[in-house]
């Protein structure tokens, strides 16, 4: 066995073998895989082997499409069979909400180039004749759906990797991973120690245990999962071709042909977590005892949906564990705080996603960044606040909702409330209806009078519409107050802080007492952050950005940190409020006097409000006259009562995130992971106006940004007024022009200030013109829309800047 390697991949399931293959595909041949038993010894060997492209996240769907297309390439490279069965599949909808979800997914697929289609009950019976379509409205048909041989596919990955120079060591159990001072790793096994520059945790069922060797907790938990294979069924035996897959969300089941019978699996409600105290090292080739009791209701429902099952005998029962993350997506990428340690875990749908996970991780390791925004599976989407007590109930919830409708405004209840600010009880007493971001409770809106205390999930305008409108009007007509806990906040200090920020940020770094906006770019010029930078003094700067990107941004900062600069995540150590609206200045003046209230736009100052020492900066995401006021969380309640009391004569009203997202549409302000993400560049989104090409600094991404300055990108962000009915744009709806799809939406909603439905999205640069008429497909309906270039509120900035 070799004792040194560039990369040691731990785990020989389909994901580990995919990572190994993709590392060689992209040029690294000095790589090896370590497997404690035989390849496929974890979840891989007993997987049902199905694959599909349907996923609510478009980039995940694209990676699933890549995975499916990859299998033929593997067969050609290795001469091995993956046992491919491209039979197509239908996902059924038995109510309008499910059908709305399928309509939304079909719309996304249009600009992704996926050839899915909506089919009627009559067409379903032709495609999948064993299906009882009573009560079915329609379905989504995907010709790429299918299944394969899990073992054959995994061994094909392994052979392709070996052919390119990779080494695979089976029956080699890892017992320790110890990091050296230079960032490399000693991987201790029962066959000896291997010195590796990088370690990849692809441990599958044992990923938690492998992570613990490095002092790391990964939010993962295995769940028991059961599927049944029947004896021969006459209706299947009589077919000329193979029966397609059928996903029946109402019955929590998936079904496909297996031999001359059927294979049907369930995501049952009375589900069971497995290996609560850890996965035994000697587990691997066993199955769990049959448990028909927990799937009794699911089977009864399946008999009604697929009557042929009712008389079929059971050939075999496969009951084994699969590992899930709290939201059901994989955990992939460089682990924050651990140099050269990479995660490729929690890939529950290994044969739909394994190829995409391998490609993404290999690109990240070799090229420095993946080719697309993969935040939906980035291990950094969870912070150090996660714990087993949080993970397990969220995993159970995700399992139970695997086939449930995923609404854009849904707030899932498990493991909540988890993290709260000092304002939680005060806001709850004011009628707060809570959402969450990055584990933190965030107010969506405040229910007053008869307004709903629970927002009903919907693809259409929800029952929070009225409350949101009331809060928007309060901001625009008087003054609103909103907590700013859901900003990520960072303190950068040191004599070299300005120089470091000039290199990390593409924009201008402000002077003392001033604030600036700046994008943060990857080396390829992609957006990895949009920041507010406040210069508190020449050696201290406060940065603010998206709260949910804390671990993501800290990972980047630490990767590029200089020795004479300190960077501290103060997201939960500095809190406060924003006040916004025409009366905001009067409220601040009543608390702090005219000097602070008369600050210029983009000023920042230290001040005392009531008894509370604060940092006040004149800026607001509402696009109105407004101030952000930061303080020590220990003093936050006192600050609240100071502002709240002073605001009473001026009509102060609390507002939440639903109103905030409506207010920002009036100014066409973008939002992180909507308009701004690693999928896009600054020039595409308009953030290039904040890039300082005049500064004499080789900031990260400069050459790519300069190239786009000299040759503008083919697409650009635009705003639209939409002739919507009862549903507004959410994200990724296709934009039609002259009978073809030419772009897609990034976000949208209802502007309560103007009474208009607004969207933002990408169009070809040469097709953007004020008043240009397009159509936007919303839930299967073509809605007329027009390009608009003048903001709906305070178009000249007189109120915001005055």
């Amino acid at each position: 066995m070799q004792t040194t390697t560039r990369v040691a991949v731990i785990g020989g399931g389909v994901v580990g073998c995919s990572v190994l293959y993709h590392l060689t595909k992209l040029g690294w041949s000095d790589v090896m895989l370590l497997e404690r038993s035989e390849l496929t010894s974890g979840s891989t060997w007993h997987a049902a082997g199905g694959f599909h492209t349907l996923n609510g996240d478009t980039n995940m769907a694209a990676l699933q499409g890549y995975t499916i297309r990859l299998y033929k390439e593997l067969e050609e490279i290795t001469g091995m069979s993956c046992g491919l069965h491209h039979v197509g599949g239908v996902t059924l909808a038995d109510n309008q909400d499910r059908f709305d979800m399928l309509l939304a997914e079909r719309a996304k697929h249009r600009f992704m180039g996926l050839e899915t289609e909506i089919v009627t009950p009559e067409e379903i019976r032709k495609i999948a004749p064993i299906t009882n379509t009573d009560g079915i409205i329609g379905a989504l048909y995907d010709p790429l759906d299918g299944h394969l041989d899990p073992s054959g596919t995994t061994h094909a990955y392994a052979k392709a990797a070996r052919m390119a120079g990779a080494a695979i060591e089976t029956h080699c159990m890892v017992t320790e991973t110890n990091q050296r001072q230079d960032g490399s790793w000693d991987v201790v096994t029962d066959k000896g120690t291997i010195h590796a520059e990088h370690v990849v945790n692809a441990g599958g069922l044992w990923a938690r245990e492998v992570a613990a060797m490095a002092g790391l907790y990964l939010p993962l938990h295995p769940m028991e999962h059961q599927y049944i294979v029947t004896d021969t069924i006459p209706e299947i035996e009589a077919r000329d071709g193979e029966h397609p897959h059928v996903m029946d969300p109402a019955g929590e089941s998936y079904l496909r042909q297996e031999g001359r019978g059927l294979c049907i699996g369930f995501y049952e409600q009375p589900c069971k977590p497995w290996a609560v105290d850890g996965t035994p090292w000697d587990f691997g080739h066993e199955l769990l005892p049959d448990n028909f009791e927990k799937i009794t209701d699911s089977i009864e429902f399946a008999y009604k949906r697929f009557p042929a099952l009712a008389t079929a005998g059971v050939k075999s029962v496969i009951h084994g564990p699969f590992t899930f993350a709290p939201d059901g997506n994989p955990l992939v990428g460089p682990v924050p705080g651990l140099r050269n340690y990479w995660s490729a875990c929690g890939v529950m749908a290994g044969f739909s996603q394994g190829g995409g996970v391998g490609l993404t991780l290999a690109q990240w390791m070799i090229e420095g960044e993946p080719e697309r925004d993969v935040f939906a599976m980035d291990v950094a989407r969870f912070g150090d606040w996660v714990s087993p007590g949080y993970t397990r109930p969220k995993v159970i919830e995700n399992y139970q909702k695997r086939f449930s409708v995923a609404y854009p405004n849904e707030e899932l209840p498990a493991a909540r409330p988890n993290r709260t600010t000092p304002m939680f009880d005060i806001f709850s007493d004011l009628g707060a209806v809570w959402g969450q971001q990055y584990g933190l409770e965030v107010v969506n809106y405040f229910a007053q009078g008869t307004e709903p205390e629970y927002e009903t999930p919907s693809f259409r305008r929800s029952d929070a519409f009225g409350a949101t409108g009331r809060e928007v009007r309060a901001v625009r007509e008087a003054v609103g107050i909103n907590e700013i806990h859901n900003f990520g906040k960072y303190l950068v200090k040191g004599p070299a802080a300005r120089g470091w920020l000039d290199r990390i940020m593409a924009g201008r770094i402000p002077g003392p007492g001033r604030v600036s906006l700046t994008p943060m770019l990857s080396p390829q010029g992609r957006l990895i952050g949009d920041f507010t930078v406040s210069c508190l003094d020449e050696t201290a700067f406060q940065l603010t950005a998206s709260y949910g990107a804390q671990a993501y941004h800290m990972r980047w900062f630490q990767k590029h940190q200089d020795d004479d600069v300190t960077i501290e995540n103060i997201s939960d150590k500095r809190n406060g409020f924003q006040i916004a609206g025409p009366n905001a200045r009067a409220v601040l003046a009543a608390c702090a006097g005219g000097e602070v209230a008369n600050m210029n736009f983009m000023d920042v100052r230290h001040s005392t409000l009531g008894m509370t020492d604060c940092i006040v900066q004149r800026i607001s995401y509402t696009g109105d006259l407004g101030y952000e006021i930061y303080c020590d969380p220990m003093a936050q309640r006192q600050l609240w009562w100071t502002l709240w009391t002073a605001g009473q004569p001026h009509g102060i009203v609390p507002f939440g995130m639903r109103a905030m997202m409506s207010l920002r549409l009036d100014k066409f302000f973008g939002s992180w992971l909507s308009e701004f993400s690693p999928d896009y560049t600054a020039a595409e989104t308009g953030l290039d106006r904040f890039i300082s090409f005049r500064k004499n600094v080789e900031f990260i991404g400069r050459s790519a940004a300069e190239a786009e300055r000299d040759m503008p990108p083919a697409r650009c962000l635009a705003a639209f007024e939409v002739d919507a009915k009862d549903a507004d744009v959410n994200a990724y709806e296709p934009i039609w022009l002259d009978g073809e799809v030419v772009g897609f939406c990034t976000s949208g909603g209802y502007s309560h200030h103007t009474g208009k439905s607004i969207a933002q999205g990408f169009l070809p640069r040469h097709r953007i013109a004020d008043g240009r008429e397009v159509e936007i497909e919303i839930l299967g309906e073509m809605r007329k829309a027009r390009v608009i270039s003048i903001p709906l509120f305070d178009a000249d900035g007189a109120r915001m800047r005055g």
Side-chain angles (χ1 to χ4, degrees):
M1 182 181 74
Q2 67 187 65
T3 58
T4 62
T5 186
R6 192 168 198 172
V7 182
V9 179
I10 303 173
V14 65
V15 174
C17 291
S18 171
V19 169
L20 193 73
Y21 163 69
H22 281 93
L23 287 170
T24 65
K25 184 177 182 179
L26 270 62
W28 284 8
S29 57
D30 180 19
V31 294
M32 69 185 303
L33 182 146
L34 307 173
E35 165 54 46
R36 66 180 182 87
S37 182
E38 297 285 351
L39 298 182
T40 79
S41 292
S43 298
T44 297
W45 79 268
H46 61 72
F51 54 78
H52 56 87
T53 59
L54 184 63
N55 191 293
D57 183 277
T58 55
N59 282 323
M60 291 295 293
L63 288 172
Q64 289 175 195
Y66 165 81
T67 300
I68 294 168
R69 290 187 291 270
L70 176 65
Y71 293 133
K72 289 188 181 299
E73 177 183 322
L74 284 176
E75 290 183 331
E76 292 171 0
I77 291 172
T78 64
M80 298 177 66
S81 171
C82 293
L84 290 176
H85 296 256
H86 278 287
V87 296
V90 291
T91 301
L92 307 176
D94 67 330
N95 60 46
Q96 189 59 50
D97 280 358
R98 292 191 197 280
F99 194 57
D100 282 348
M101 184 177 76
L102 297 183
L103 290 171
E105 292 304 309
R106 171 63 188 115
K108 294 177 187 178
H109 294 165
R110 290 192 195 279
F111 75 85
M112 294 173 62
L114 296 174
E115 297 301 323
T116 58
E117 60 180 295
I118 297 294
V119 292
T120 65
E122 292 76 18
E123 292 170 314
I124 295 168
R125 290 193 290 272
K126 293 178 182 177
I127 297 168
I130 67 167
T131 307
N132 175 8
T133 59
D134 289 350
I136 296 297
I137 297 175
L140 181 72
Y141 174 69
D142 186 348
L144 283 180
D145 273 15
H147 55 277
L148 45 66
D149 170 23
S151 178
T153 300
T154 304
H155 282 278
Y157 275 124
K159 182 177 180 180
R162 282 194 182 103
M163 290 170 66
I168 295 177
E169 197 74 32
T170 58
H171 299 283
C172 181
M173 183 172 175
V174 174
T175 57
E176 298 178 33
T177 56
N178 303 312
Q179 190 164 36
R180 296 186 179 183
Q181 287 189 342
D182 65 358
S184 63
W185 292 83
D186 286 327
V187 182
V188 181
T189 78
D190 57 3
K191 289 185 175 181
T193 298
I194 300 157
H195 180 219
E197 182 181 349
H198 300 271
V199 168
V200 176
N201 182 348
L205 289 174
W206 296 268
R208 294 175 297 172
E209 287 70 30
V210 172
M213 295 177 189
L216 172 69
Y217 171 70
L218 287 176
L220 297 164
H221 199 88
M223 296 292 293
E224 297 182 4
H225 183 69
Q226 197 164 211
Y227 65 90
I228 296 169
V229 179
T230 74
D231 288 326
T232 298
I233 294 177
E235 292 91 334
I236 297 298
E237 186 177 30
R239 287 180 57 84
D240 293 332
E242 190 169 351
H243 195 280
H245 289 205
V246 184
M247 274 64 69
D248 181 22
E252 302 159 344
S253 70
Y254 58 89
L255 175 146
R256 67 168 175 84
Q257 184 171 334
E258 175 73 17
R260 296 180 179 180
L262 291 169
C263 165
I264 183 167
F266 305 99
Y267 284 91
E268 68 286 351
Q269 293 302 299
C271 57
K272 291 184 64 177
W274 181 75
V276 172
D277 296 322
T279 303
W281 286 109
D282 59 355
F283 183 85
H285 292 282
E286 305 90 342
L287 288 173
L288 306 178
D290 299 349
N291 187 347
F292 286 100
E293 182 177 344
K294 69 175 182 174
I295 60 173
T296 298
D297 292 342
S298 299
I299 291 174
E300 289 180 3
F301 195 98
Y303 286 168
K304 296 174 184 176
R305 181 70 72 214
F306 310 107
L309 287 171
T311 56
V314 174
K315 183 177 181 180
S316 60
V317 179
I318 310 297
H319 191 201
F322 289 85
T323 301
F324 294 76
D327 59 3
N329 278 344
L331 298 175
V332 179
V335 172
L338 277 184
R339 185 178 170 190
N340 294 348
Y341 193 96
W342 304 78
S343 176
C345 307
V347 191
M348 186 284 301
F351 294 98
S352 290
Q353 300 173 344
V357 166
L359 174 68
T360 296
L361 199 69
Q363 288 175 336
W364 221 327
M365 297 177 75
I366 297 171
E367 299 170 3
E369 59 185 287
E371 66 181 276
R372 64 180 73 245
D373 173 20
V374 293
F375 191 78
M377 64 178 182
D378 191 336
V379 66
R381 71 186 185 276
F382 296 103
D384 56 11
W385 46 268
V386 295
S387 67
Y390 171 87
T391 298
R392 194 175 308 122
K394 294 302 290 186
V395 165
I396 292 170
E397 178 184 63
N398 178 267
Y399 185 97
Q400 291 172 328
K401 294 183 70 65
R402 190 72 186 168
F403 280 148
S404 296
V405 178
Y407 298 95
N409 67 327
E410 187 172 22
E411 298 287 353
L412 300 178
R416 291 181 56 201
N418 181 21
R419 305 173 72 235
T420 62
T421 76
M423 293 302 298
F424 185 77
D425 61 329
I426 293 176
F427 281 167
S428 293
D429 289 343
L430 288 172
V433 178
W434 295 96
Q436 71 84 33
Q437 184 185 19
Y438 201 61
L440 179 69
E441 294 297 310
V442 177
V443 180
N444 283 337
Y445 66 95
F446 292 86
Q448 304 293 310
T450 60
E451 293 168 351
E453 297 178 1
Y454 167 79
E455 183 182 9
T456 304
S458 177
F459 286 94
R460 301 171 192 274
R461 291 174 189 160
S462 79
D463 50 6
F465 187 81
T468 302
R470 175 182 53 77
E471 293 178 2
V472 166
R473 288 187 292 274
V475 173
R476 292 288 186 241
E477 297 170 7
V479 58
I481 184 167
N482 173 270
E483 194 173 15
I484 49 176
H485 56 327
N486 58 329
F487 287 170
K489 311 171 197 80
Y490 313 89
L491 187 61
V492 179
K493 299 179 71 174
R498 177 178 294 277
W500 181 79
L501 285 170
D502 259 329
R503 181 169 62 88
I504 292 295
M505 302 293 175
R508 181 182 59 83
I509 305 305
R514 293 290 289 167
V515 176
S516 70
L517 305 178
T518 173
M520 186 166 71
L521 306 180
S522 75
Q524 295 180 20
R526 297 184 177 275
L527 289 170
I528 55 174
D530 63 309
F531 281 83
T532 299
V533 180
S534 306
C535 182
L536 306 180
D537 61 49
E538 264 301 334
T539 61
F541 297 82
Q542 176 178 282
L543 316 182
T544 58
S546 170
Y547 186 85
Q550 286 175 59
Y552 175 84
H553 284 146
M554 280 300 295
R555 181 176 64 195
W556 185 257
F557 293 155
Q558 290 168 348
K559 179 180 179 180
H560 297 280
Q561 186 170 1
D562 293 339
D563 291 338
D564 48 359
V565 174
T566 62
I567 308 157
E568 182 183 2
N569 182 357
I570 58 170
S571 298
D572 298 320
K573 297 178 181 179
R574 191 167 288 175
N575 208 339
F577 307 94
Q578 71 163 315
I579 55 174
N583 296 345
R585 181 181 284 115
V587 173
L588 192 59
C591 302
E595 182 181 353
V596 172
N598 290 319
M599 291 166 58
N600 291 323
F601 183 60
M602 304 293 274
D603 273 354
V604 57
R605 293 183 186 174
H606 288 275
S607 181
T608 300
L609 275 63
M611 295 189 292
T612 309
D613 291 330
C614 301
I615 296 171
V616 182
Q617 54 192 40
R618 188 168 157 202
I619 189 172
S620 174
Y621 191 51
T622 66
D624 214 313
L625 167 66
Y627 305 84
E628 293 174 355
I629 307 166
Y630 298 88
C631 69
D632 184 330
M634 291 294 288
Q636 188 181 2
R637 292 167 71 96
Q638 175 60 39
L639 176 60
W640 162 261
W641 291 118
T642 298
L643 293 168
W644 184 245
T645 302
Q648 293 308 304
H650 303 286
I652 196 166
V653 168
F655 69 101
M657 287 306 297
R658 295 284 186 259
M660 176 76 84
M661 297 309 283
S662 173
L663 290 160
R664 63 104 183 177
L665 289 175
D666 296 340
K667 299 283 282 187
F668 309 154
F669 287 169
S671 176
W672 180 244
L673 294 185
S674 293
E675 285 69 43
F676 310 141
S677 88
D679 276 336
Y680 315 130
T681 66
E684 289 177 325
T685 59
L687 285 185
D688 56 337
R689 68 188 184 276
F690 297 115
I691 293 180
S692 178
F693 291 107
R694 297 173 62 182
K695 66 180 183 181
N696 189 26
V697 177
E698 193 62 32
F699 58 82
I700 296 173
R702 178 165 191 147
S703 60
E706 286 178 336
E708 281 204 314
R709 179 192 59 182
D710 298 336
M711 184 174 292
R715 66 182 181 183
C716 276
L717 200 62
F720 306 85
E721 180 183 340
V722 187
D723 294 343
K725 190 169 57 176
D726 62 344
D728 303 299
V729 159
N730 179 45
Y732 299 113
E733 292 84 352
I735 303 173
W736 296 74
L737 184 60
D738 300 332
E740 64 175 346
V741 175
V742 295
F744 62 94
C745 296
T746 52
S747 73
Y750 191 78
S751 164
H752 288 271
H753 173 65
T754 60
K756 297 178 179 179
S757 183
I758 303 299
Q760 296 189 76
F762 285 103
L763 279 183
R765 174 181 291 271
H766 69 281
R767 308 297 291 272
I768 297 175
D770 196 49
R772 168 83 70 186
E773 292 193 352
V774 299
E775 290 183 299
I776 298 177
E777 184 180 350
I778 302 176
L779 300 181
E781 293 186 0
M782 304 296 282
R783 310 304 301 180
K784 292 182 179 180
R786 291 158 297 286
V787 174
I788 52 177
S789 57
I790 299 175
L792 305 173
F793 168 76
D794 194 31
D796 60 358
R799 191 149 109 184
M800 181 176 70
R801 300 171 183 274

